[in-house]
Amino acid sequence: NGRRVEIGPPEQSELRTLFELLNEVIEEGKSWPFDVQFETMGSFRGYFLSHAAFVVRGLELGVDSNNDFSPSHEVLGAFYVKPNYPGRCSHICNGGFITRKQFRCQGVGKLMASCFLKFAKDLGYKGSYFNLVFATNVESIRLWDALGFERVSVLPKCANLRDIDFLVDAYGYNFDLSKLPDDFDPVKLAQAASKSRWLKDASRRYATAAPYLLPIALASLIAVTVMKLR
C-alpha cells in the first residue's frame, strides 16, 4: 500500500509479539499443522528462531487493512529460513510465514516470500521445499504459483483443520534456488506478483460480467438512438 518497511532479524523487544503471533495462527487452525500452542518462550525460540528469522516492520505511520492507525516500527509479519532435512539433504530449506491478521492483503506476504528466496540463496541453500501447503489455503497457493514455485506433490487427506468437516489435501512446493539470478530483486518480484494477481482477478471479474455486458451496451445504444430520433 506504499508504506515504507524494512526486513531484518527480530529485536529482543519484538520476541513476545512473534511468540503471540505464532500462537494466534496455531489457534486459527487453518494454515499451520500444529494443534497445540507453544507454552514457553524457550520452546518458541527453539522452533522459530533456531536458524535465521526475519520480521517486517513499518518505518512510518500507516493504517492496517481495517483502516485503523498503525504506529511506526510495528511488526507486520515474520518468517524463518532453516533446513528442511538433516545432513546430506540440509541444503534444501523450508520457511514458515506469519502475516499479522490486520495486515493481510496489503502485500506483506508477497514481500516476505520474495525476500525468503533471496535470503535463502544468500544463506547457501540450493533449493526450497514447502511440505504442507493446504489445499484450502487459497491465498498461499496463489502466492507460490505467482512467484514461480513448482507444485510437485499432493498428500491426500492429510490435515484435520479447524471448522472444516473433511480431511484436507496438502501440496508440496519446490523452488530451485540455483536458477535465481545474482541480481535478483525481491521487491520487483513482489510487485510483479501483485500485478499478476490484479490482472488475473480483473480477468475473472470480466469473464463473470461478460454475458451481461453486450445486452447492457445494446440497451444503452438503443436508448441513445431513440432519444436522438425524438
Side-chain angles (χ1 to χ4, degrees):
N1 62 1
R3 185 180 185 182
R4 291 191 308 121
V5 301
E6 68 176 2
I7 296 183
E11 299 174 357
Q12 185 67 31
S13 60
E14 297 169 329
L15 296 187
R16 173 58 58 176
T17 296
L18 300 188
F19 173 71
E20 293 172 352
L21 289 179
L22 180 55
N23 278 337
E24 282 180 13
V25 297
I26 292 173
E27 177 63 23
E28 285 178 359
K30 300 293 180 64
S31 56
W32 288 59
F34 303 112
D35 59 357
V36 177
Q37 297 183 6
F38 287 86
E39 295 184 354
T40 67
M41 182 61 72
S43 61
F44 162 76
R45 283 175 176 268
Y47 175 75
F48 204 91
L49 306 178
S50 63
H51 288 75
F54 304 90
V55 300
V56 181
R57 60 179 74 89
L59 290 179
E60 57 193 10
L61 302 178
V63 294
D64 61 25
S65 13
N66 301 315
N67 288 322
D68 291 328
F69 170 75
S70 170
S72 177
H73 288 86
E74 183 173 18
V75 172
L76 313 182
F79 66 98
Y80 65 70
V81 187
K82 60 182 177 181
N84 203 346
Y85 311 104
R88 299 184 188 279
C89 299
S90 59
H91 59 282
I92 304 297
C93 69
N94 189 14
F97 302 81
I98 306 171
T99 301
R100 205 167 191 166
K101 185 181 297 185
Q102 61 266 41
F103 295 104
R104 293 172 186 172
C105 301
Q106 291 196 333
V108 176
K110 293 182 182 70
L111 181 61
M112 290 195 296
S114 299
C115 287
F116 165 83
L117 293 175
K118 177 172 176 53
F119 295 168
K121 184 171 183 178
D122 290 347
L123 288 167
Y125 293 104
K126 305 303 181 185
S128 171
Y129 184 70
F130 298 151
N131 308 295
L132 297 173
V133 179
F134 298 134
T136 50
N137 192 347
V138 177
E139 291 299 321
S140 182
I141 290 171
R142 286 175 176 171
L143 176 59
W144 305 130
D145 287 342
L147 294 181
F149 280 74
E150 181 184 6
R151 188 188 301 181
V152 295
S153 65
V154 180
L155 186 58
K157 300 180 180 179
C158 81
N160 182 18
L161 303 181
R162 172 158 290 184
D163 299 327
I164 297 178
D165 58 1
F166 57 89
L167 294 176
V168 175
D169 295 349
Y171 304 132
Y173 273 90
N174 179 67
F175 195 99
D176 184 353
L177 292 171
S178 68
K179 296 181 179 179
L180 206 65
D182 293 335
D183 60 350
F184 171 72
D185 186 338
V187 175
K188 287 185 178 179
L189 180 62
Q191 291 173 336
S194 295
K195 183 177 180 180
S196 174
R197 168 74 183 279
W198 182 87
L199 289 173
K200 287 180 180 178
D201 287 346
S203 297
R204 186 168 58 252
R205 287 193 294 269
Y206 175 80
T208 302
Y212 307 98
L213 294 179
L214 182 58
I216 291 173
L218 289 175
S220 299
L221 179 61
I222 292 171
V224 171
T225 303
V226 170
M227 290 178 64
K228 285 183 178 180
L229 290 174
R230 288 179 179 176

